[in-house]
């Protein structure tokens, strides 16, 4: 009985992913992305819950949980990114084959391409399963320069987005690590270079970089949405022709300068036009003159 419990524990601690499991995993992420469970490039908890449930139902004999799903998709994303960043520069002579799951090209095309991108040689005989599906899931981020995976890529992206040197990013992250207890410095002022201390320090710094990137992306997205909303509110138009708006203004008997200002103001501000027209005609001129800005 004890041996059986030990075996079960070992199985739950490790999970061997098959190509079929990867296929279902990637397609599940694509589905969650398509139904809006990935705002700002971050999958929601609900998305992971749905994906875990789908995998558990498809492979009841496997011990699948959220942590293993996260680790696996991160591993697949990293491999895809390394390959995509090379072959996005490839000429039309290259194509990924769904049959061999490898990049296919004539020998001459390979030789020319490898001269410019030596790292491409690795992929001449190396399969890249599910490449097109991963491209659907992550290709847009890679094309936009988002979706950084390695610490170096994260620092480079942070540097570009914050407009500061990478050395400053590294120094700031080290300071945050120290302030939050993830430091390698001992009580006597020496640096603890043990594997445990180094690992803790490295993990914390990577977490900080990821959070900084997500924070910048969220702020940027919020600014973009707010700006779009303001622009739409400012430029919104009622379904009323400009000539009709002019006639309403002309009927108020304004002097020539005020007439021009009022016409311009009301054609550019649909909400204010609606308010002005909502006033009784005999009070409309006074109301308009009170809200009319002087350009």
């Amino acid at each position: 009985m004890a041996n059986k419990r030990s075996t079960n524990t070992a199985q739950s601690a490790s999970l061997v992913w098959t190509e079929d499991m990867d296929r279902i995993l990637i397609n599940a992420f694509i589905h969650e992305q398509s139904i809006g469970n990935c705002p700002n490039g971050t999958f929601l908890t609900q998305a992971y819950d749905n994906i875990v449930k789908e995998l558990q139902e498809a492979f009841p004999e496997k011990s699948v949980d959220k942590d293993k799903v996260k680790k696996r998709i991160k591993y697949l994303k990293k491999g895809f990114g390394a390959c995509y960043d090379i072959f996005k520069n490839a000429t039309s002579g290259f194509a990924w084959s769904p049959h061999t799951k490898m990049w296919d090209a004539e020998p001459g095309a390979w030789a020319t391409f490898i001269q410019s991108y030596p790292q491409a040689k690795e992929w001449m005989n190396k399969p890249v399963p599910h490449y097109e599906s991963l491209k659907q899931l992550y290709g847009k981020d890679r094309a936009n320069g988002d979706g950084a995976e390695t610490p170096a890529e994260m620092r480079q992206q942070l540097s570009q987005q914050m407009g500061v040197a990478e050395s400053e990013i590294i120094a700031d992250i080290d300071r945050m690590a120290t302030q939050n207890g993830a430091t390698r410095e001992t009580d006597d002022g020496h640096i603890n270079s043990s594997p445990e201390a180094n690992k803790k320090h490295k993990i914390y710094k990577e977490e900080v970089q990821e959070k900084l990137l997500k924070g910048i992306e969220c702020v940027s997205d919020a600014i973009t949405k707010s700006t779009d909303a303001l622009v739409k509110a400012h430029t919104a138009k009622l379904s009323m022709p400009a000539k009709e708006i002019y006639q309403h203004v002309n009927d108020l008997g304004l002097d020539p300068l005020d007439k021009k200002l009022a016409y311009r103001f009301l054609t550019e501000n649909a909400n204010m036009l609606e308010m002005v027209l909502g006033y009784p005609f005999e009070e409309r001129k006074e109301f308009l003159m009170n809200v009319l800005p002087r350009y």
Side-chain angles (χ1 to χ4, degrees), residues 200-216:
K200 181 180 180 182
H201 194 73
K202 179 181 178 183
I203 290 173
Y204 181 82
K205 290 200 296 182
E206 290 180 3
E207 289 176 349
V208 168
Q209 289 177 159
E210 289 180 356
K211 289 176 182 178
L212 282 172
L213 279 176
K214 292 299 181 185
I216 291 172

Side-chain angles (χ1 to χ4, degrees), residues 81-196:
C83 185
Y84 177 88
D85 288 348
I86 296 171
F87 287 93
K88 68 181 180 182
N89 303 302
T91 63
S92 57
F94 282 81
W96 179 81
S97 169
H99 303 294
T100 64
K101 298 178 175 58
M102 294 192 298
W103 284 95
D104 185 39
E106 294 296 325
W110 273 111
T112 301
F113 189 57
I114 290 171
Q115 283 183 347
S116 300
Y117 301 94
Q119 60 272 46
K121 186 175 182 180
E122 174 188 355
W123 303 96
M124 286 186 69
N125 301 297
K126 183 177 179 179
V128 193
H130 316 293
Y131 183 84
E132 289 298 327
S133 295
L134 286 165
K135 183 178 178 181
Q136 182 180 347
L137 184 59
Y138 295 120
K140 184 178 179 181
D141 283 347
R142 301 300 300 191
N144 294 336
D146 300 329
E149 281 298 324
T150 68
E153 289 176 337
M154 291 179 189
R155 288 195 297 272
Q156 184 179 21
Q157 190 172 330
L158 281 169
S159 175
Q160 293 171 349
Q161 294 183 353
M162 297 174 70
V164 298
E166 285 188 45
S167 58
E168 293 185 36
I169 299 290
I170 295 171
D172 286 341
I173 292 173
D174 275 331
R175 279 195 293 272
M176 283 187 275
T178 300
Q179 292 169 0
N180 288 274
T183 178
R184 291 172 294 176
E185 187 172 329
T186 59
D187 292 337
D188 58 4
H190 291 87
I191 298 298
N192 181 355
S193 58
S194 68
E196 294 79 11

Side-chain angles (χ1 to χ4, degrees), residues 12-66:
S12 63
S14 62
L15 176 63
V16 178
W17 288 82
T18 65
E19 191 169 319
D20 197 37
M21 290 176 69
D22 284 342
R23 177 182 58 80
I24 292 178
L25 173 74
I26 296 166
N27 288 337
F29 270 100
I30 292 173
H31 175 69
E32 294 301 319
Q33 187 182 65
S34 70
I35 63 175
N37 282 341
C38 184
N40 303 318
T42 303
F43 283 95
L44 302 176
T45 299
Q46 182 61 55
Y48 282 105
D49 290 343
N50 294 341
I51 292 167
V52 169
K53 182 180 179 182
E54 183 172 346
L55 285 163
Q56 288 175 340
E57 290 177 351
F59 306 97
E61 74 283 3
K62 300 286 187 177
S63 177
V64 180
D65 57 34
K66 183 177 178 180

Side-chain angles (χ1 to χ4, degrees), residues 240-270:
M240 181 181 293
K243 288 184 178 179
E244 190 173 338
I245 295 175
Y246 176 81
Q247 189 59 53
H248 281 293
V249 172
N250 192 53
D251 291 342
L252 297 177
L254 301 173
D255 63 51
L257 178 59
D258 285 338
K259 184 191 297 185
K260 292 177 181 177
L261 292 174
Y263 174 69
R264 176 181 171 182
F265 177 59
L266 294 178
T267 54
E268 292 179 348
N269 295 274

